[in-house]
Amino acid sequence: MPDPPGKKPAGAQLSRLDRYKRDKVQPDMPPIDGGEYLINYFWEVGPVMAGMDGPVVISQAEIRAWQENAGIDLQPWQAGLLRRLSQDYLAQSHAAKDSACKPPYGELYRSPNLSKLIDAALD
């Protein structure tokens, strides 16, 4: 019988995202200088769409439909960038399921309690 949604099998390690959520930590994000509107568009369009076996990269048709619905006319490079962001987002979301996966930006995650545990072990 499969595990209930949201439950990890016994002995499974938590993903980086699960550790962030557990410890109520906001991950580091890269600075954005001048392209905030494209990031906002990215989150409005996607970042992914539903596929038969789970999330898939947003399609050109989905981007076109979003443009028509939102009344926005993207330049070809902007539409291409949204699709590329979707590809990178999906690839990183799959890679991040491995607890040893390094973050795409910022430092390696360290639990807020880890320093305390190390200090206690050394005392």
Side-chain angles (χ1 to χ4, degrees):
M1 180 194 278
D3 292 320
K7 286 214 166 192
K8 297 272 185 201
Q13 293 183 331
L14 292 175
S15 69
R16 184 175 59 247
L17 178 60
D18 289 336
R19 290 182 304 209
Y20 280 132
K21 288 178 181 177
R22 177 196 65 201
D23 296 335
K24 298 180 174 110
V25 172
Q26 183 67 31
D28 290 334
M29 299 299 282
I32 300 173
D33 188 25
E36 294 90 358
Y37 75 99
L38 286 170
I39 300 300
N40 291 333
Y41 290 171
F42 172 65
W43 289 111
E44 286 181 28
V45 173
V48 293
M49 34 189 279
M52 294 283 291
D53 293 322
V56 296
V57 172
I58 53 176
S59 67
Q60 295 288 1
E62 189 74 13
I63 294 170
R64 169 52 65 201
W66 173 80
Q67 287 183 81
E68 290 174 9
N69 289 338
I72 294 170
D73 190 25
L74 296 176
Q75 296 294 317
W77 71 266
Q78 293 169 315
L81 179 62
L82 294 181
R83 186 158 161 79
R84 175 61 191 268
L85 288 171
S86 179
Q87 291 169 338
D88 291 346
Y89 178 90
L90 187 59
Q92 184 61 35
S93 70
H94 286 298
K97 291 177 184 174
D98 180 355
S99 63
C101 176
K102 293 182 180 180
Y105 178 82
E107 299 294 320
L108 286 174
Y109 178 73
R110 178 179 275 186
S111 171
N113 298 322
L114 185 59
S115 295
K116 293 176 191 174
L117 293 171
I118 291 171
D119 289 343
L122 295 175
D123 285 340

